Amino acid sequence: MVLLKSGKKRKEYGIITLRDLSISKDDLFDFDQKIEDKLSTPIEALSDTTTVKAALKAFEELQSESLPVESNGQLVGVVRKKDFFNRYFPQLYDMNHKYKDIINHMHEAVSVIDQNGYVRLWNKQAEELYQIPREKIVNEKMSVFFPNALGLKILETRKAIKNVYYSPKEDYYVSISSLPVYINKKFIGVVSTEKDLTQQKNLTTKLENANSKITSLQQKVAEIHGYSNSFFDDIKGHDPILLEKIELAKYVSKTNTNVLITGESGTGKELFAKGIHGQSGREGAFVSVNCSAIPHGLFESEFFGYEDGAFTGAIKGGKAGYFKLSDKGTLFLDEVGELPLELQAKLLRVLDEQKVSPLGSEQMIPVDVRIIAATNRNMKQLVENEQFRHDLYYRLNVVEIDLPPLRKRIEDIVILFHQFLEAYSKENNIEIKSIDPEIYSYLKTASWEGNIRELRNTVEYLVVLSKNGIIKPEALPDYIKEQKPQEVVDTDPVYKNLEYQMDHFEKVLIERALEINNYNKSKTAKYLEIPRSTLYYKLEKHELE
């Protein structure tokens, strides 16, 4: 190699190599020819700080085999393209082996196919999963071994598919994801990873079996002691209409049919929904959604979820929507009557297809969701006014459970009053010694537009404002005191004693339960949801035998 220079300042203007001298257009070398006529490479020096990547790019662009290197304007040497590759390829070879070792030590099965469908990588986990050695499958068509492989679909669509659950063989469960691979915007193939979910599946099955055994044991204990261990135990009261609604709810809970629960605000619609879900035995979760609180623009992302990077501000890793969260469970749509028409259409489509497509994905995901809807509005009137789709209404209203308002459950008001009284007394560490009997007259006369929720808040208010452990009418909220109370039945001073009052109402309730059940003690105990032994004790105590 000769570096040509010119002038006193030793300005370099070209490089001529042995290769340049040995090549002649006429196949005969002219020794009298000037060197500049043989100069094939324009000079362009590299800096001593130039990176290897930049130098390789310069070699490619200039189509040169050698380039000078300068430092502070002075020639410090010449670098050859051949030298780069002689050092680069051993490192590349070593790096390639390290990457293969890493891939082979991954817990996931990894495979790669090129743009023509040939297998180019098949790690050890893939070998173990499918019992196919890499020597047999690498460089062969994937379709020969797996005609329906997910990666082959990506070759056609060139769109990623993530987290598809399936079982490639008996007692083995995996989640597979396939992604298209691009280099410099050119499609070169597909990489697929399969995560082993067998252990998680087995643990889930064991947990489900354990829960099933616990539930079975609870039912047997309940039968032995003569009371019902019901998921509706949180619904307190003995009003015949209420009990009729509970029986209807229990009956439909064992089915998969959609239920519409109607009634005024505060009547316990969500308690009924939870009871139906619990009694149904569905293995999925109970997910409650307030339809009136979801902004229009977030409806699809909240209900259907979204993929990672689906839109600006999306949570990293994506988000599961309400339908996915309640898969194999129950989705409770509270205040469903508040849904705008355009959102009702989207909800109807999912109910019909039983599939959802997360934002940012074209994949349709099947879901098994039981819908329980609730509203305090007149749904038939909304349909007539074209504020609610009639097809969605009939889709939701397969079975309707209309809950009675509290003002129509007079006897239950007292039961609920004492239940809340005991709870808030303990919570606030306040001992209630006596209650003015006039309180009950006010309670039974009040309209209770907020129903049970309003009664609960009123009881908490009375407990907190009680003086010396005594609850008097003066402590009632003004809007309740303004309503005319019923006449007080019993004015005996002893009636003011809390223990006496509770015994008195307990006796009245037992007498009424006996009448309803034709004085059958076994049925009465079940009706009151107490053990038979407890009923016998209370019958003797109140001299009702």
Side-chain angles (χ1 to χ4, degrees):
M1 177 185 299
V2 177
L3 186 66
L4 302 181
K5 303 171 184 178
S6 176
K8 296 180 179 180
K9 294 184 178 180
R10 299 166 57 87
K11 176 65 179 177
E12 295 82 18
Y13 65 89
I15 294 178
I16 188 166
T17 66
L18 183 60
R19 180 174 179 273
D20 296 326
L21 292 173
S22 63
I23 298 176
S24 173
K25 293 181 181 179
D26 300 324
D27 294 329
L28 294 173
F29 189 79
D30 184 0
F31 287 95
D32 295 326
Q33 188 179 13
K34 294 181 180 179
I35 290 180
E36 63 180 353
D37 293 335
K38 300 298 295 180
L39 198 62
S40 61
T41 306
I43 186 68
E44 184 171 328
L46 302 176
S47 168
D48 60 344
T49 59
T50 300
T51 64
V52 173
K53 182 178 180 181
L56 289 171
K57 184 178 181 181
F59 279 122
E60 181 179 353
E61 292 177 350
L62 298 172
Q63 297 183 348
S64 173
E65 297 297 323
S66 303
L67 287 174
V69 180
E70 290 183 348
S71 178
N72 297 322
Q74 296 293 322
L75 179 69
V76 294
V78 175
V79 64
R80 296 186 302 172
K81 188 177 182 179
K82 181 180 179 181
D83 295 332
F84 273 114
F85 285 109
N86 285 342
R87 295 190 179 186
Y88 173 71
F89 276 112
Q91 293 182 28
L92 180 64
Y93 182 81
D94 182 58
M95 189 181 300
N96 184 45
H97 273 277
K98 288 180 179 178
Y99 280 139
K100 285 185 177 180
D101 286 340
I102 292 172
I103 292 174
N104 279 326
H105 283 83
M106 291 176 65
H107 290 291
E108 293 84 5
V110 181
S111 61
V112 175
I113 57 176
D114 64 19
Q115 67 271 31
N116 297 314
Y118 286 92
V119 179
R120 297 306 180 192
L121 188 145
W122 189 259
N123 75 343
K124 286 186 178 180
Q125 286 295 329
E127 287 183 316
E128 294 178 7
L129 173 60
Y130 294 106
Q131 295 298 303
I132 300 176
R134 66 176 303 278
E135 294 81 8
K136 184 177 180 180
I137 193 171
V138 171
N139 297 326
E140 299 292 338
K141 282 271 192 179
M142 175 68 84
S143 57
V144 174
F145 297 86
F146 304 100
N148 299 316
L150 192 62
L152 296 177
K153 295 180 181 179
I154 309 301
L155 288 181
E156 300 174 3
T157 64
R158 300 193 180 181
K159 293 181 179 179
I161 298 179
K162 299 180 181 179
N163 301 321
V164 176
Y165 176 84
Y166 83 112
S167 178
K169 61 182 181 180
E170 187 177 358
D171 297 328
Y172 200 95
Y173 307 91
V174 300
S175 174
I176 182 171
S177 296
S178 291
L179 305 173
V181 179
Y182 291 86
I183 294 182
N184 295 327
K185 297 183 179 181
K186 181 181 178 182
F187 177 71
I188 64 165
V190 178
V191 59
S192 299
T193 58
E194 299 175 56
K195 186 176 182 180
D196 185 2
L197 300 178
T198 306
Q199 186 175 6
Q200 293 93 317
K201 174 66 176 177
N202 292 339
L203 288 174
T204 301
T205 302
K206 289 180 180 179
L207 181 60
E208 289 173 353
N209 292 337
N211 287 336
S212 178
K213 290 179 181 178
I214 291 172
T215 302
S216 178
L217 288 172
Q218 287 176 335
Q219 292 175 346
K220 289 181 180 179
V221 171
E223 292 172 1
I224 293 172
H225 288 280
Y227 63 88
S228 172
N229 183 22
S230 171
F231 288 95
F232 293 87
D233 285 345
D234 290 334
I235 303 172
K236 303 298 181 182
H238 295 290
D239 181 82
I241 298 177
L242 177 69
L243 295 177
E244 180 184 331
K245 303 300 180 182
I246 292 175
E247 288 305 313
L248 175 59
K250 288 180 179 179
Y251 183 79
V252 300
S253 65
K254 295 299 182 181
T255 70
N256 290 318
T257 190
N258 294 336
V259 178
L260 177 64
I261 305 175
T262 58
E264 296 179 8
S265 177
T267 49
K269 294 187 285 294
E270 185 164 357
L271 277 179
F272 265 80
K274 289 180 178 178
I276 292 171
H277 169 73
Q279 200 87 357
S280 71
R282 292 180 69 86
E283 60 186 49
F286 176 86
V287 178
S288 178
V289 182
N290 186 337
C291 295
S292 66
I294 299 176
H296 293 198
L298 296 180
F299 177 85
E300 288 185 284
S301 63
E302 291 297 309
F303 274 83
F304 309 147
Y306 53 80
E307 296 289 327
D308 187 10
F311 54 86
T312 303
I315 298 174
K316 187 175 182 181
K319 178 181 179 180
Y322 295 133
F323 274 98
K324 186 65 176 176
L325 291 173
S326 57
D327 187 30
K328 293 182 174 57
T330 302
L331 181 58
F332 177 55
L333 303 177
D334 197 11
E335 298 188 41
V336 71
E338 305 298 328
L339 269 181
L341 281 170
E342 61 269 25
L343 303 186
Q344 293 174 27
K346 295 177 181 180
L347 177 61
L348 178 63
R349 186 180 69 251
V350 177
L351 296 184
D352 286 338
E353 298 176 356
Q354 287 291 296
K355 293 180 180 179
V356 295
S357 179
L359 292 179
S361 171
E362 294 185 2
Q363 182 184 3
M364 296 297 292
I365 302 173
V367 289
D368 174 17
V369 177
R370 201 250 186 96
I371 301 294
I372 300 178
T375 182
N376 58 8
R377 302 187 66 181
N378 187 328
M379 294 296 289
K380 290 183 180 179
Q381 189 65 50
L382 290 177
V383 172
E384 289 177 9
N385 295 340
E386 297 184 350
Q387 294 176 282
F388 201 90
R389 295 177 61 104
H390 71 278
D391 44 5
L392 178 58
Y393 170 66
Y394 291 115
R395 196 78 168 77
L396 296 174
N397 189 22
V398 180
V399 175
E400 181 176 353
I401 301 177
D402 186 28
L403 302 184
L406 186 58
R407 58 183 171 276
K408 293 185 179 180
R409 299 165 50 193
I410 301 298
E411 297 302 326
D412 286 349
I413 291 175
V414 178
I415 295 174
L416 292 168
F417 172 80
H418 282 286
Q419 176 192 344
F420 296 143
L421 185 72
E422 181 180 359
Y424 286 119
S425 297
K426 289 181 179 178
E427 183 179 316
N428 295 282
N429 196 26
I430 296 175
E431 181 184 0
I432 302 300
K433 300 176 181 177
S434 67
I435 302 171
D436 191 310
E438 194 175 3
I439 286 286
Y440 298 104
S441 297
Y442 278 104
L443 295 178
K444 292 180 179 181
T445 305
S447 60
W448 300 116
E449 295 180 1
N451 293 288
I452 300 170
R453 188 181 294 115
E454 182 185 354
L455 175 61
R456 183 175 59 239
N457 293 342
T458 300
V459 175
E460 183 178 13
Y461 179 85
L462 290 172
V463 170
V464 172
L465 295 184
S466 64
K467 295 180 179 179
N468 300 318
I470 300 173
I471 294 179
K472 295 184 178 182
E474 290 78 10
L476 286 167
D478 291 339
Y479 76 93
I480 292 182
K481 286 189 292 185
E482 291 170 359
Q483 302 177 48
K484 184 179 179 180
Q486 292 179 343
E487 182 181 351
V488 180
V489 177
D490 194 341
T491 57
D492 193 317
V494 75
Y495 194 63
K496 295 181 180 181
N497 179 272
L498 179 60
E499 184 178 355
Y500 174 85
Q501 292 176 62
M502 294 182 69
D503 283 344
H504 172 74
F505 282 107
E506 183 179 72
K507 180 179 179 181
V508 171
L509 289 173
I510 293 175
E511 286 177 330
R512 184 167 176 270
L514 286 167
E515 291 176 4
I516 292 173
N517 293 282
N518 296 319
Y519 294 91
N520 183 307
K521 294 176 183 178
S522 178
K523 290 183 179 179
T524 300
K526 290 182 178 180
Y527 179 83
L528 294 171
E529 298 183 2
I530 59 175
R532 280 175 290 183
S533 58
T534 301
L535 176 63
Y536 294 145
Y537 165 75
K538 292 184 181 295
L539 290 174
E540 182 179 352
K541 172 184 174 182
H542 297 298
E543 299 179 351
L544 294 175
E545 288 191 301

